[in-house]
Amino acid sequence: MLKIKDLHASIEGKEILRGINLQVNPGEVHAIMGPNGSGKSTLASVLAGREEYEISGGSVDFDGKDLLDLAPEERAAEGIFLAFQYPVEIPGVTTINFLKTAVNEMRKYRGEDPLDAAQFLRMVREKAKLVKMNDSLLKRSLNEGFSGGEKKRNEIFQMAVLEPKLAILDETDSGLDIDALRIVAEGVNSLRSPEKATIVVTHYQRLLDYIVPDFVHVLYKGRIVKSGTKELAMELEEKGYDWIKAEVELV
Amino acid sequence: MVDLKEKLVADFRSREAAMNGEAQSPLHQTRQKALARFEELGFPTPRNEEWKYSNVRNLTNQDFDFGGTHAITVEDIEKFKIPNLSGNILYFINGKYEAGLSTIVSPASQVSIRPLREALATQPELVSTYFGNLADTQDEAFTALNAAFAGDGVFIHVPKGKVVEESIVLYFINDARSANVGAQPRNLFVIEQNAQVQLTETFLTLGESSAFTNAVTEIHVAQDAHVQYYKVQNDSDATYHVGTTEVRMADNSHFYAATVSLNGGFIRNNLNIALDGEHCDAHMYGLYFPDGKQHIDNHTVADHRKPNSESNELYKGVLRGQSTGVFNGKIFVREDAQKTNAFQSCKNVVLSPQATMNTKPQLEIWADDVKCSHGTTTGQLDDEALFYLRSRGISKPEAMSLLMFAFCEDVITQIKIEPIRAYLEEIIAKKLA
Ligand SMILES: Nc1ncnc2c1ncn2[C@@H]1O[C@H](COP(=O)(O)OP(=O)(O)OP(=O)(O)O)[C@@H](O)[C@H]1O
Ligand SMILES: [Mg+2]
């Protein structure tokens, strides 16, 4: 589904991603961990199409398409979804109106008819229930004045509505209370299917108890320096990153 | 090349020669004085600080037919009037009141609505008590010019304690289909103690020839009165609009203004509010969308003369093409005006590198116990927000228009007359698409 080969990306002349290789197949869950500033959000943003980054080398293939050639909105319509580490507040645009526009723009891209108001509302209600998203939040301006946890839940709610093929969750667990964490994880799990894949960026083993990964990767200084299975996450929780950093310095 | 000033002076003389009794009337003496002042002042140039960014040279070398005939039909009006807007609707075509097109529905006991000329003849004492008291013919050339020709326009009087249930909408339409046309409407609104009214001035143009409107409106807001005043401008690109609204507020009165400039070649709006009473509140909202080579200039004044009043101002603009925008907001807090609250904000989104916005807040405060704040921002759309929307599958143009509409939203929601708000929303959505 997703094939990242030797991906290099920089911003303001500073190389942040320094040769990423990663393959994600349908049905898989990949966890990406790594110290602060190692480039996890950068990788997520580059995949979603943030234009500030300069791609200085490598390739990204998504279902046979050259992802790096597509605009952010085209990537979204092709099935990529990024749950932001820091969701943006947009005053004056209500969550519900924004989502309606998003759903129908994507349908247009795929050559489908737009949903009418009733169909859309039915679908939204169902998805809101799935992630226990409070109805009153939908009528408010997008993320404006939302609590940290409400913002994260709104991201997962949007994911549920947009039904992506590949969801990239960037620290969706941070800022969530224990109950919210479980609800969000259940939401993610209920959307899992053999055709879909998820990349979970996280610092904590806790989330991975709920969303069990098939693979765990450690990103450090712009490279994936170690990959393993869910046991690797437990080892990291226990030992921290120093031993990995030491291994890298040795090489 | 025409010299508009000379032409106007000559116009004045020939009109005067055609008058009989009126030439001796007190009003005409006022006109003569105003003309003399206009002759001295001449049209402002950019050397005049108040006109630094708004050059009227291209206006003053054109000719205009003032108060000329027109060929507007009911069908023409149907096409561009504000849908579903009912109430007292008055039409002024090329400045002249058109009784045949207009409808007045409010009972005379609630409000008296009369063409100014008629009111001058039938209620001379009432009119002369207020007429010309607020308009500054001494320093403002355009106001002096308007005063020199005063006659067209409307006199609206809401007696003490009356609530005008139906809103009052004035359409000023220039029919520029066959020639350059000019109009100088002069309005006088007297809202007595504890009265309430909604007033709208709408400016529209038909046709491609050049048009010039030089409007002056004086609004007297008596004690405890509530006034909403909307100005909607949707003129052609070949239109020059200079409009001055002078407001005086007495104790405990409320005045609420929204100025929306959808289109127009050259627009200069002056909105001057004297908070001449205690416990008044004045609100000024503005929205402007210059594009192409358009120029939109808003000058506002909140003049706090008495203690314990509040003014609150928010102007917003979206600039495109090679357009220019100007915002000059003055706040005066006089020595007596202790405990004044005055807030001002002007925010702009400049979407093209060739467009420019000039903002100038000007605060002059002589009292010591006041709360004042002002701020202006001029920038582009928020990249983070744009990326967020696009990452959800919303195309760049659609995302931009969502953000721009959202940017305007807090001013649009200030329009309390539903059909006007719907009309503006539709035009703005199209503009921003
Ligand atoms: N716009 C920018 N300008 C300059 N440097 C940037 C910019 N964006 C990111 N960086 C730098 O790139 C590096 C990687 O940042 P990134 O946000 O990808 O880290 P991360 O792995 O997600 O960290 P965290 O765990 O703290 O979220 C950091 O050193 C950061 O300062
Ligand atoms: Mg990060």
Side-chain angles (χ1 to χ4, degrees):
Chain A
M1 172 186 269
L2 181 75
K3 289 189 200 84
I4 305 176
K5 283 206 184 107
D6 195 29
L7 182 64
H8 291 252
S10 46
I11 189 155
E12 289 165 12
K14 183 175 152 200
E15 190 167 58
I16 312 285
L17 300 184
R18 303 187 305 148
I20 301 269
N21 291 290
L22 180 67
Q23 173 154 352
V24 178
N25 298 312
E28 293 177 351
V29 174
H30 290 243
I32 295 182
M33 307 183 79
N36 294 132
S38 57
K40 302 179 299 294
S41 293
T42 303
L43 175 61
S45 299
V46 165
L47 292 176
R50 193 187 283 267
E51 285 160 347
E52 285 83 346
Y53 295 99
E54 192 203 332
I55 310 296
S56 37
S59 65
V60 181
D61 178 289
F62 183 64
D63 279 346
K65 291 203 167 77
D66 180 356
L67 196 69
L68 301 177
D69 251 9
L70 302 179
E73 57 269 32
E74 293 171 322
R75 299 181 194 201
E78 290 291 342
I80 290 202
F81 178 90
L82 169 62
F84 285 66
Q85 182 175 3
Y86 304 110
V88 187
E89 298 196 8
I90 309 187
V93 178
T94 61
T95 304
I96 191 86
N97 272 345
F98 146 74
L99 263 185
K100 185 153 192 241
T101 311
V103 166
N104 285 333
E105 286 259 302
M106 285 200 202
R107 291 181 71 90
K108 191 166 84 189
Y109 179 90
R110 300 183 194 131
E112 299 161 2
D113 286 337
L115 294 183
D116 64 32
Q119 290 169 316
F120 175 74
L121 277 180
R122 208 175 312 126
M123 190 261 283
V124 159
R125 281 218 193 89
E126 188 188 306
K127 305 291 177 163
K129 214 184 286 166
L130 190 70
V131 296
K132 303 207 167 53
M133 172 90 172
N134 195 330
D135 268 7
S136 69
L137 292 180
L138 301 181
K139 292 183 206 112
R140 278 171 46 186
S141 283
L142 194 50
N143 294 326
E144 192 187 24
F146 282 28
S147 74
E150 287 168 343
K151 284 181 186 168
K152 294 301 174 80
R153 198 178 296 209
N154 192 10
E155 294 293 288
I156 297 306
F157 165 64
Q158 292 174 36
M159 180 181 96
V161 169
L162 300 174
E163 300 185 323
K165 278 194 250 175
L166 173 66
I168 305 163
L169 313 182
D170 191 359
E171 292 196 30
T172 303
D173 52 339
S174 57
L176 288 180
D177 65 42
I178 312 279
D179 292 336
L181 181 73
R182 207 188 53 243
I183 291 160
V184 163
E186 279 167 8
V188 171
N189 285 333
S190 70
L191 298 165
R192 282 178 75 168
S193 83
E195 302 83 51
K196 292 181 176 165
T198 312
I199 296 175
V200 192
V201 175
T202 184
H203 286 297
Y204 306 106
Q205 164 61 28
R206 203 179 52 184
L207 177 69
L208 303 179
D209 287 339
Y210 295 106
I211 306 173
V212 181
D214 300 296
F215 301 97
V216 174
H217 310 278
V218 178
L219 193 64
Y220 179 56
K221 290 190 175 169
R223 288 199 189 96
I224 290 179
V225 293
K226 197 168 193 69
S227 295
T229 51
K230 61 177 193 277
E231 287 73 23
L232 175 57
M234 291 174 198
E235 200 176 350
L236 291 171
E237 179 96 347
E238 208 178 297
K239 301 203 280 190
Y241 290 109
D242 282 352
W243 61 285
I244 291 191
K245 290 180 186 171
E247 269 182 31
V248 174
E249 307 308 334
L250 268 179
V251 174
Chain B
M1 214 160 44
V2 178
D3 182 335
L4 184 61
K5 181 182 162 191
E6 269 172 31
K7 181 222 138 80
L8 284 160
V9 172
D11 260 15
F12 185 90
R13 304 270 176 248
S14 64
R15 279 180 199 221
E16 193 170 49
M19 284 176 184
N20 23 37
E22 203 187 330
Q24 266 64 54
S25 69
L27 171 68
H28 193 68
Q29 284 163 17
T30 316
R31 288 190 190 126
Q32 285 170 328
K33 275 195 211 121
L35 185 85
R37 192 61 191 144
F38 169 68
E39 285 194 77
E40 284 163 22
L41 291 168
F43 284 110
T45 68
R47 277 193 303 273
N48 178 335
E49 191 59 28
E50 295 302 320
W51 292 83
K52 190 171 167 188
Y53 300 107
S54 294
N55 195 333
V56 295
R57 193 182 51 241
N58 291 335
L59 162 70
T60 58
N61 57 29
Q62 290 189 59
D63 195 3
F64 299 92
D65 181 11
F66 286 85
T69 54
H70 66 83
I72 281 192
T73 62
V74 176
E75 290 74 45
D76 291 331
I77 282 168
E78 282 303 320
K79 261 180 268 164
F80 69 149
K81 71 178 195 189
I82 298 172
N84 308 316
L85 182 60
S86 60
N88 302 286
I89 315 271
L90 282 79
Y91 287 94
F92 298 82
I93 316 290
N94 298 347
K96 292 264 173 294
Y97 177 61
E98 291 294 332
L101 298 169
S102 306
T103 25
I104 293 174
V105 295
S106 292
S109 60
Q110 259 179 30
V111 56
S112 149
I113 305 173
R114 291 222 169 111
L116 182 64
R117 217 180 293 275
E118 188 188 312
L120 280 162
T122 56
Q123 304 156 275
E125 274 170 36
L126 182 61
V127 176
S128 62
T129 307
Y130 294 98
F131 184 84
N133 287 2
L134 305 178
D136 174 11
T137 51
Q138 194 52 36
D139 298 318
E140 298 294 336
F142 282 98
T143 304
L145 174 63
N146 176 285
F149 288 87
D152 292 333
V154 66
F155 173 63
I156 295 173
H157 179 235
V158 186
K160 190 172 165 181
K162 298 294 178 188
V163 175
V164 185
E165 278 151 27
E166 299 286 338
S167 82
I168 301 171
V169 183
L170 314 174
Y171 282 95
F172 297 94
I173 300 174
N174 283 327
D175 182 359
R177 285 178 294 191
S178 53
N180 286 5
V181 294
Q184 300 205 64
R186 177 64 181 251
N187 302 319
L188 176 59
F189 306 152
V190 177
I191 319 304
E192 303 272 18
Q193 196 179 331
N194 209 13
Q196 293 185 24
V197 67
Q198 287 180 323
L199 302 154
T200 303
E201 296 178 341
T202 312
F203 296 87
L204 302 165
T205 339
L206 211 59
E208 304 301 319
S209 296
S210 201
F212 170 37
T213 297
N214 179 30
V216 172
T217 296
E218 293 176 289
I219 309 178
H220 293 264
V221 186
Q223 202 181 318
D224 293 303
H226 282 74
V227 176
Q228 288 176 26
Y229 168 73
Y230 303 104
K231 182 168 177 179
V232 177
Q233 301 171 293
N234 199 9
D235 278 314
S236 73
D237 289 357
T239 294
Y240 297 82
H241 177 105
V242 178
T244 298
T245 301
E246 298 278 356
V247 185
R248 183 184 165 276
M249 300 171 68
D251 287 348
N252 295 309
S253 63
H254 309 274
F255 182 77
Y256 198 94
T259 305
V260 182
S261 310
L262 298 166
N263 206 71
F266 176 100
I267 292 176
R268 165 65 175 259
N269 294 316
N270 300 308
L271 174 59
N272 304 329
I273 302 180
L275 294 95
D276 206 0
E278 293 198 43
H279 304 286
C280 303
D281 60 88
H283 303 265
M284 292 180 258
Y285 294 96
L287 204 49
Y288 39 96
F289 301 94
D291 197 354
K293 291 189 156 55
Q294 295 173 352
H295 177 89
I296 301 182
D297 175 349
N298 281 291
H299 269 60
T300 65
V301 177
D303 182 1
H304 289 265
R305 297 179 183 171
K306 299 273 166 67
N308 298 311
S309 287
E310 175 170 332
S311 66
N312 181 21
E313 177 169 24
L314 175 63
Y315 271 66
K316 285 188 158 188
V318 176
L319 289 88
R320 289 174 295 179
Q322 297 145 269
S323 67
T324 48
V326 180
F327 173 80
N328 180 301
K330 295 184 180 65
I331 296 176
F332 301 135
V333 182
R334 313 268 167 186
E335 212 174 330
D336 271 355
Q338 298 294 357
K339 306 259 181 236
T340 286
N341 286 333
F343 307 108
Q344 181 191 90
S345 166
C346 175
K347 297 180 176 168
N348 303 282
V349 173
V350 179
L351 291 176
S352 128
Q354 286 92 38
T356 47
M357 181 71 209
N358 301 293
T359 54
K360 186 175 179 193
Q362 244 176 294
L363 277 63
E364 292 178 30
I365 299 170
W366 294 279
D368 45 31
D369 184 12
V370 302
K371 264 195 214 129
C372 279
S373 74
H374 68 94
T376 62
T377 59
T378 297
Q380 276 107 43
L381 289 177
D382 178 4
D383 279 339
E384 295 282 318
L386 205 54
F387 175 63
Y388 188 86
L389 295 175
R390 294 178 72 192
S391 80
R392 299 301 184 246
I394 300 174
S395 66
K396 191 175 179 187
E398 183 74 20
M400 287 176 75
S401 94
L402 262 178
L403 290 179
M404 284 187 287
F405 201 81
F407 171 77
C408 303
E409 188 67 9
D410 49 355
V411 174
I412 296 174
T413 52
Q414 296 301 331
I415 313 278
K416 310 289 185 207
I417 301 175
E418 174 52 33
I420 296 182
R421 192 173 65 233
Y423 167 84
L424 294 176
E425 277 178 348
E426 195 189 322
I427 293 181
I428 292 169
K430 265 190 216 144
K431 267 191 176 292
L432 301 181

